[in-house]
Amino acid sequence: MSPFSLTRTLPADATAAALRADVSQGLSRTPKQLPPKWFYDARGSELFDEITRLPAYYPTRAEREILLARAGLIAAATGARTLIELGSGSSDKTRHLIGALTGLLSYVPVDVSESALESAGRQLLADHPGLDVHALVADFQQGMTLPPTPGPRLLAFLGGTIGNLLPPERAAFLRTVHGLLSPGDALLLGTDLVKDEETLVAAYDDPEGVTAAFNKNVLLVINRELGADFDPADFAHVAVWNADDAWIEMRLRARRELTVKIPALDLAVPFAAGEEVRTEVSAKFREDGVRSELHAAGLDLAHWWTDDAGRFALSLALRR
């Protein structure tokens, strides 16, 4: 078998169809909302990379700190021969794991971006020529089938991305993970932790304005893909801490009354002055809550590691 293979389980037009559905449904409801996955075109990905380097944005640095400190323990606890990464992107953080997993034979990066998978996969092969890379173009929320690879398997879902899912979506996702794994396989999960409101809001509302540009990028994606006439200057970036639900909400707030036309959907969307569109939820967690959600999905928490400041956690759970 070739050391690099790429399988597409998403139809070629799936992304365009999903965008149309999300925009049509999300902007026609009250209150309005859009899923955060539409931030991430090429420009959005560049902006997010810039966000991860901002002083106030701690999650990426905190997670990397844990990975560097605990990669050997993760390897010893799992004995993984296959590493699967959901939302792999550039596969940057998993390089620490790949280096530590001395018995690793296969790596399965999963992402919606074929170009990102090609680039990252071939770079990994250059660094680890004995590794089989089975890239999978798929949306982990739409169901997928993993290629046959040797066990035990370790599935990594990093970056705190699980926090972008609402509680019913999280439960469904964890049940899907359970179905993808065999008894004794493991899930490595990154979760941002509950902390003081000032620290949380600062991470999503930087004075440099990078997060604001990232948030407004969704409007530019809709303009480009659906012919809409959003003017990003008409909207203010808002980040608020919802203590009742333990999550940060990012929103776009209309600065004035206006109507946006979206020709591809034959849609005119009215906004009242001050009306908001929720563009992201980023849930924050506590250990007991993570343990409970994992257990309900048939996954048992075996290890819990945090960075030195206790801001972020990596948990290792075994599939029952």
Side-chain angles (χ1 to χ4, degrees), residues 8-11 13-19 21-22 25 35 37-38 86-87 110-112 136-146 157 165 169 172-177 180:
R8 170 177 282 278
T9 62
L10 282 176
D13 61 348
T15 300
L19 176 64
D22 285 344
Q25 295 166 17
K37 65 183 177 181
W38 302 117
L86 303 184
V110 182
D111 204 280
V112 296
L136 186 60
V137 183
D139 183 339
F140 63 80
Q141 286 190 269
Q142 301 300 320
M144 59 186 180
T145 302
L146 295 174
F157 192 42
L165 306 179
E169 295 171 329
F173 166 76
L174 291 172
R175 288 194 299 269
T176 296
V177 168
L180 291 171

Side-chain angles (χ1 to χ4, degrees), residues 12-274:
D13 61 348
T15 300
L19 176 64
R20 293 169 66 93
D22 285 344
V23 172
S24 178
Q25 295 166 17
L27 295 185
S28 298
R29 58 174 293 168
T30 303
K32 296 178 173 66
Q33 66 182 46
L34 292 167
K37 65 183 177 181
W38 302 117
F39 292 140
Y40 295 95
D41 63 351
R43 177 57 179 155
S45 296
E46 290 173 359
L47 286 167
F48 184 72
D49 285 344
E50 191 175 343
I51 287 169
T52 65
R53 297 190 291 271
L54 293 171
Y57 192 81
Y58 60 86
T60 302
R61 291 189 298 275
E63 186 176 54
R64 184 175 287 112
E65 177 189 320
I66 305 168
L67 279 171
L68 287 170
R70 307 297 185 182
L73 292 176
I74 295 167
T78 63
R81 299 173 71 201
T82 294
L83 174 62
I84 303 154
E85 184 181 8
L86 303 184
S88 56
S90 64
S91 301
D92 178 56
K93 284 178 287 192
T94 40
R95 293 174 195 274
H96 306 307
L97 280 176
I98 290 170
L101 291 165
T102 55
L104 192 68
L105 300 175
S106 299
Y107 174 53
V108 183
V110 182
D111 204 280
V112 296
S113 169
E114 185 170 338
S115 60
L117 288 169
E118 285 271 6
S119 174
R122 297 197 182 281
Q123 181 58 53
L124 278 169
L125 282 177
D127 298 337
H128 304 275
L131 188 65
D132 284 345
V133 178
H134 307 270
L136 186 60
V137 183
D139 183 339
F140 63 80
Q141 286 190 269
Q142 301 300 320
M144 59 186 180
T145 302
L146 295 174
T149 54
R153 294 179 296 173
L154 172 62
L155 189 149
F157 192 42
L158 303 176
T161 306
I162 193 168
N164 296 147
L165 306 179
L166 297 174
E169 295 171 329
R170 290 203 303 266
F173 166 76
L174 291 172
R175 288 194 299 269
T176 296
V177 168
H178 180 272
L180 291 171
L181 300 179
S182 300
D185 289 346
L187 166 67
L188 183 67
L189 182 66
T191 49
D192 197 8
L193 301 181
V194 172
K195 57 187 67 67
D196 65 280
E197 180 176 353
E198 182 180 359
T199 298
L200 286 166
V201 172
Y204 292 83
D205 194 11
D206 58 277
E208 296 88 346
V210 183
T211 310
F214 176 67
N215 195 6
K216 293 182 184 185
N217 191 62
V218 70
L219 304 180
L220 300 178
V221 169
I222 296 170
N223 284 354
R224 183 184 65 241
E225 300 298 329
L226 300 177
D229 60 357
F230 277 106
D231 183 347
D234 285 335
F235 293 84
H237 166 69
V238 179
V240 295
W241 170 240
N242 181 332
D244 291 338
D245 291 316
W247 62 48
I248 284 281
E249 292 186 15
M250 288 211 315
R251 308 170 184 166
L252 292 170
R253 179 183 294 156
R255 299 182 186 273
R256 61 181 180 87
E257 184 178 349
L258 71 150
T259 298
V260 173
K261 296 181 178 62
I262 309 178
L265 302 177
D266 193 23
L267 192 64
V269 184
F271 288 86

